[in-house]
Amino acid sequence: MSDTNQRKRRNKRSKLNMKRIVMVALVAIIVVGGIGGTAIYFGIIAPAMAAAELENQKTLDEYAAKYTELQPRIANDKFNDEEKQAVSAAETTFKTALDNKDVNAVPTSYTSLETTVVTAEKRISNDVAAASMTDYQDVFNMLKNHDLSDFTADEEAAVQANIAKMQAVLDNKQVDLLETTINELAASIDAHYMVENDVAITYKKGLIIANKNNCMPSSYAPGESAQAAVAFSQMAADAANEGLSLNDFSTYRSYSGQKSLYDRYVAADGQEAADRYSSRPGCSEHQTGLAFDIGGSNSAAWAETTFDDTEEAIWLANNAYKYGFILRYPPGKESVTGYMYESWHYRYVGDIAKTIYDSGKTLEEYLEVE
Ligand SMILES: [Zn+2]
């Protein structure tokens, strides 16, 4: 064999070896790479993906729970049409995001829904507060003009202090203090008319409540309200100009006066029947001095159902509120007021009468008392 041939053969062998090495290396890379990739996938990528998915599901569940909690507030029938529409649109957006498990859209759309609800709620509470302020201002106008001339110096000082307090509450719009402050003022006025306070008088928005559930002490004897009497005179004068005669045939009734009346009714008709049209002593609105039984020219119809369809009764129903009087026992409200319809019984409440009249509610319903 020549040297040349030997060299050629050696070269061929080494070339073959190189090919083999490259092949093995490639296979090794593929196998090892595959194993490594799989290892990376199952060791790092897969758990990370599972954790993220879990995290997403947690977020979705969290917002689904929040939504369940918010739902009663979404269905608020005090929302106006515009608010209802806005809330409904925001709710649809949120529900769509939740259904699509869109983790990015769920929190933002929930926040938007909640904000829409909160904004509408705020608008309502502001409206309620504003209406409350008007109601309290109306009653305050009546109370602060109460005639204190026969009050003792101490009584008058107590009332004046409460008037100043109430004025400050109104000026500063301290909505949460309105109710207690005006009731304290009313009570400080009524203290003058009480010998002993054996039964607490119930006030709401500064107005005395006298009904079957809220009675007065036997010693509470305010007499006929001077303010109500003035208002009635004005009303009677205006009605007279229209050719109608109004007579306040029964106004203030003392505890003992009511007692003898009630006892007489019970003796005649039995207690059950008497309770439908007469009050037990201490519970008659007539004892407040603010209840006026009003009749027309025909005295035979006074305190009778025959008064219901008279011109005077119709005029009163349509106009009494302008003078501060409300129909106290309207038809169909016996279950609320405790009394059958009395077309003649009016209660003086002052300027708030118009608001109550416009609401179409009974005094109990308007003041939310039983
Ligand atoms: Zn009456």
Side-chain angles (χ1 to χ4, degrees):
M1 217 194 292
S2 66
D3 278 359
T4 320
N5 279 350
Q6 270 183 2
R7 216 177 296 132
K8 272 182 188 165
R9 226 177 286 146
R10 223 181 288 137
N11 281 350
K12 208 177 177 183
R13 207 183 295 142
S14 72
K15 267 182 194 161
L16 270 173
N17 283 345
M18 276 306 287
K19 261 188 193 164
R20 212 173 289 149
I21 288 164
V22 168
M23 283 283 282
V24 169
L26 274 174
V27 169
I29 286 167
I30 289 163
V31 170
V32 171
I35 292 168
T38 311
I40 288 166
Y41 178 79
F42 284 110
I44 300 166
I45 298 175
M49 277 174 71
E53 210 163 287
L54 208 68
E55 200 55 44
N56 289 350
Q57 194 54 52
K58 248 174 83 181
T59 305
L60 294 174
D61 289 349
E62 184 190 317
Y63 280 93
K66 278 186 176 190
Y67 173 58
T68 306
E69 220 171 283
L70 189 68
Q71 253 161 355
R73 287 165 61 195
I74 291 173
N76 188 333
D77 51 359
K78 283 179 184 155
F79 290 166
N80 62 33
D81 289 346
E82 206 178 311
E83 288 159 349
K84 278 179 187 161
Q85 269 172 26
V87 168
S88 164
E91 188 181 19
T92 305
T93 308
F94 169 75
K95 275 163 79 178
T96 306
L98 195 64
D99 287 347
N100 296 339
K101 298 184 188 294
D102 186 340
V103 181
N104 294 318
V106 162
T108 50
S109 60
Y110 177 81
T111 305
S112 159
L113 170 61
E114 194 184 30
T115 307
T116 313
V117 170
V118 168
T119 306
E121 285 173 342
K122 253 189 210 156
R123 194 272 309 160
I124 291 165
S125 75
N126 283 344
D127 280 5
V128 168
S132 277
M133 294 288 289
T134 312
D135 285 3
Y136 287 95
Q137 183 66 61
D138 283 350
V139 178
F140 182 53
N141 290 344
M142 173 173 68
L143 296 178
K144 73 179 178 191
N145 290 318
H146 195 93
D147 181 10
L148 306 177
S149 55
D150 63 343
F151 280 44
T152 66
D154 282 353
E155 286 171 346
E156 189 178 344
V159 173
Q160 292 297 0
N162 283 325
I163 286 175
K165 236 196 220 173
M166 187 62 198
Q167 187 64 64
V169 165
L170 285 166
D171 289 347
N172 300 324
K173 299 190 177 13
Q174 291 167 286
V175 176
D176 52 329
L177 294 180
L178 287 169
E179 183 63 19
T180 49
T181 311
I182 197 141
N183 289 342
E184 279 168 18
L185 168 58
S188 69
I189 294 170
D190 280 335
H192 170 73
Y193 304 105
M194 242 176 306
V195 179
E196 53 191 79
N197 195 353
D198 50 342
V199 180
I201 292 178
T202 307
Y203 300 95
K204 193 81 191 276
K205 285 193 177 172
L207 296 171
I208 188 167
I209 310 295
N211 61 17
K212 285 179 177 166
N213 301 320
N214 298 281
C215 304
M216 294 152 285
S218 57
S219 71
Y220 179 59
E224 182 185 88
S225 158
Q227 284 175 304
V230 168
F232 176 79
S233 298
Q234 185 59 57
M235 179 164 73
D238 289 351
N241 282 336
E242 296 182 36
L244 298 173
S245 162
L246 297 183
N247 300 280
D248 53 342
F249 60 88
S250 179
T251 61
Y252 172 67
R253 223 175 282 153
S254 68
Y255 180 92
S256 57
Q258 183 65 32
K259 187 176 184 324
S260 49
L261 200 63
Y262 178 75
D263 290 347
R264 211 171 345 117
Y265 291 141
V266 171
D269 293 342
Q271 192 169 59
E272 203 182 313
D275 279 337
R276 286 189 69 203
Y277 63 84
S278 181
S279 305
R280 296 185 178 195
C283 315
S284 169
E285 197 171 50
H286 284 280
Q287 195 185 326
T288 67
L290 298 161
F292 278 51
D293 285 340
I294 305 167
S297 52
N298 175 17
S299 62
W302 288 359
E304 297 289 341
T305 52
T306 47
F307 180 64
D308 297 358
D309 300 321
T310 62
E311 258 189 295
E312 292 96 336
I314 293 161
W315 189 92
L316 279 169
N318 294 327
N319 296 285
Y321 74 90
K322 298 171 189 165
Y323 303 89
F325 289 94
I326 54 165
L327 181 66
R328 191 62 181 81
Y329 309 122
K333 296 283 189 174
E334 186 172 346
S335 64
V336 178
T337 63
Y339 292 99
M340 351 184 274
Y341 174 39
E342 288 190 5
S343 57
W344 57 89
H345 183 114
Y346 281 82
R347 157 75 190 266
Y348 183 73
V349 290
D351 296 344
I352 199 178
K354 186 186 179 332
T355 311
I356 298 175
Y357 173 85
D358 288 343
S359 76
K361 291 177 177 174
T362 63
L363 188 63
E364 277 83 3
E365 289 167 328
Y366 191 75
L367 297 177
E368 295 175 342
V369 289
E370 292 206 342

